[in-house]
Amino acid sequence: MSGCATLAAPGANLAALPPPPGGPYLLGAGDTLRIRIYDQAQMSGTYQVDDSGMVDMPLLGLVKAAGLSTDGLSAAIANGLRDGGLILHPSVAVEVAAYRPFYILGEVNTPGQYPFRPGMTVLTAISVAGGFTYRAEQGYAGVTREKGGIPAPYRAPLFALAQPGDVITVFERRF
């Protein structure tokens, strides 16, 4: 019986990739944000979510962004400005200027780091990386995704939705 397990295709024993969580996109380290504060040009600008999940805002200092939606971060910034007595009625807008990248390795022609685009599938990501090599398993791929802050490996069909920060592995097929 153990001999059969060793003959299984690479990645075949991984758990199936769960569907993406519902609701709005949640910010994470590496996202680039465009933050506009009405009538406050000196505070408006482009900001990066740092490795600790924070955004460094003028006058406010570090504001937690990781795990929040853009609306949630807008509210947190507005509350900080209001509670600090800096602006009585702040109007804050946050949008994602650039998503954190995804990474692809294994049997693709150009492995590496690539910019994420909303609606991207695993197959689209493989295409961005130059497509499959002749040795590639073309029926599925591995996706390592953070779950509760811990990376977890999954087996994904090619039409599964990719997410920013995913590490996609294209396995070598058995001949």
Side-chain angles (χ1 to χ4, degrees):
M1 197 82 175
S2 64
C4 293
T6 60
L7 296 177
N13 60 340
L14 294 174
L17 182 70
Y25 174 71
L26 300 180
L27 302 171
D31 285 333
T32 302
L33 308 174
R34 196 169 303 119
I35 301 175
R36 291 187 308 271
I37 302 171
Y38 180 72
D39 236 3
Q40 300 295 321
Q42 70 278 15
M43 290 184 72
S44 298
T46 303
Y47 298 89
Q48 183 91 20
V49 180
D50 69 19
D51 289 343
S52 64
M54 308 293 268
V55 174
D56 194 3
M57 296 287 304
L59 302 176
L60 285 178
L62 294 174
V63 178
K64 181 183 184 294
L68 297 177
S69 65
T70 54
D71 288 343
L73 181 57
S74 295
I77 294 169
N79 290 338
L81 293 169
R82 189 174 23 261
D83 296 347
L86 300 168
I87 302 174
L88 291 177
H89 303 289
S91 178
V92 180
V94 175
E95 65 180 330
V96 179
Y99 294 90
R100 59 192 177 271
F102 71 92
Y103 306 87
I104 189 161
L105 48 97
E107 295 299 324
V108 291
N109 287 304
T110 314
Q113 170 184 312
Y114 292 94
F116 176 81
R117 297 285 179 244
M120 180 176 274
T121 65
V122 171
L123 184 59
T124 307
I126 292 167
S127 297
V128 168
F132 294 109
T133 67
Y134 72 93
R135 294 183 303 269
E137 167 58 57
Q138 296 184 21
Y140 60 90
V143 173
T144 301
R145 182 173 291 167
E146 280 196 20
K147 182 178 180 183
I150 300 169
Y154 299 102
R155 180 180 178 202
L158 297 180
F159 293 103
L161 289 175
Q163 292 185 352
D166 278 354
V167 178
I168 300 169
T169 304
V170 177
F171 300 108
E172 183 177 4
R173 66 183 157 88
R174 298 280 185 215
F175 289 95

